[in-house]
Amino acid sequence: MKRFFVGVIITLAVVFIFRSCSEEKEKKSILKENSMLIQEQINNVSKLIVTEGHFAEVYNYKDSQQLFGPLITADKKALVVVNAEVTVAYDLSLVKFEIDEATKTLRIISIPEPEIKINPDFEYYDVTADYLNQFNAEDYNKIKRNVNASLLKKIEASTLKSNAENRLLSELSKFLVLTNSMGWTLTYGDSNIQNFDELKVLN
């Protein structure tokens, strides 16, 4: 009889240990699957977010060179009409992040700066130049530099960058929805991100 009870106790102990090991393996498996799912979802949204805009610029270019003192000059000038397509983009494949399975935390480390690309189309009108002061490659390069600098000021004063930031927040909100639905925590720097409004600190 005593042997019977000993056998029952040993059997129960073995069953308990087996179940504990199985549950632990199952928890680890679920945690690993969740981690892989988060990684996959981040990769899915790691696409280029682009906001496009159109800008027009009329630029007057003039250059004068003194030939024999201030009394005689050689002039050249041009009227330039510029139509530019501008894109503002965030490449989310450059987002740096960490996944901490132990604390169930998705930690965003850094977000890339926006990429601004200007594709101008130049049309030249009323191009005139004196014989001793002809247009050359440096003149055209100077016009392009000045126009690009002017367009950048217009872009900064426009809503183009803020629209791109809103698109960025829209993509990052997918991280928040995913982590919340799985019982994970989303952090950026030293802050826990718990709602959409707090995402605004990221930009």
Side-chain angles (χ1 to χ4, degrees):
M1 191 72 174
K2 188 176 181 181
R3 290 181 179 179
F4 174 76
F5 283 116
V6 171
V8 170
I9 292 172
I10 292 174
T11 301
L12 290 175
V14 170
V15 170
F16 177 76
I17 293 171
F18 177 77
R19 283 187 177 179
S20 297
C21 292
S22 298
E23 289 177 0
E24 187 66 25
K25 286 182 180 179
E26 186 176 354
K27 287 180 181 179
K28 288 183 179 179
S29 177
I30 292 173
L31 190 62
K32 193 68 177 177
E33 287 177 5
N34 289 346
S35 178
M36 291 175 64
L37 177 60
I38 289 175
Q39 176 83 43
E40 182 181 351
Q41 291 299 316
I42 291 175
N43 290 335
N44 287 341
V45 297
S46 293
K47 60 186 177 183
L48 204 62
I49 307 170
V50 177
T51 300
E52 295 181 342
H54 178 82
F55 291 84
E57 179 92 3
V58 178
Y59 179 73
N60 281 296
Y61 177 76
K62 185 176 181 180
D63 178 79
S64 298
Q65 290 186 3
Q66 295 182 357
L67 299 180
F68 304 101
L71 298 178
I72 301 176
T73 61
D75 300 325
K76 55 185 170 184
K77 63 180 182 177
L79 177 66
V80 185
V81 176
V82 183
N83 289 289
E85 295 294 333
V86 179
T87 62
V88 181
Y90 289 91
D91 188 354
L92 292 187
S93 67
L94 300 179
V95 172
K96 294 182 180 179
F97 64 91
E98 292 178 347
I99 295 178
D100 188 341
E101 294 182 2
T103 60
K104 294 184 179 181
T105 301
L106 170 60
R107 186 175 296 107
I108 297 177
I109 300 172
S110 66
I111 295 171
E113 292 295 319
E115 302 171 1
I116 300 175
K117 293 185 179 180
I118 303 174
N119 299 303
D121 179 33
F122 294 85
E123 294 184 11
Y124 291 85
Y125 299 91
D126 192 25
V127 179
T128 59
D130 291 338
Y131 179 75
L132 296 177
N133 189 13
Q134 295 290 318
F135 269 89
N136 54 42
E138 179 54 31
D139 291 305
Y140 292 105
N141 290 334
K142 185 188 248 185
I143 290 171
K144 288 181 180 180
R145 287 195 300 269
N146 291 342
V147 167
N148 281 340
S150 177
L151 287 173
L152 279 174
K153 290 181 180 179
K154 284 188 174 183
I155 293 168
E156 291 293 335
S158 72
T159 60
L160 202 63
K161 287 184 70 175
S162 62
N163 289 342
E165 289 172 356
N166 288 333
R167 293 284 301 277
L168 170 66
L169 292 177
S170 177
E171 292 298 320
L172 292 178
S173 67
K174 296 177 182 178
F175 297 171
L176 180 61
V177 171
L178 180 64
T179 52
N180 283 348
S181 66
M182 298 173 63
W184 283 53
T185 301
L186 176 65
T187 68
Y188 179 69
D190 298 326
S191 303
N192 288 347
I193 308 301
Q194 298 178 343
N195 54 60
F196 182 79
D197 289 336
E198 291 179 352
L199 281 173
K200 294 179 180 178
V201 302
L202 299 183
N203 63 340

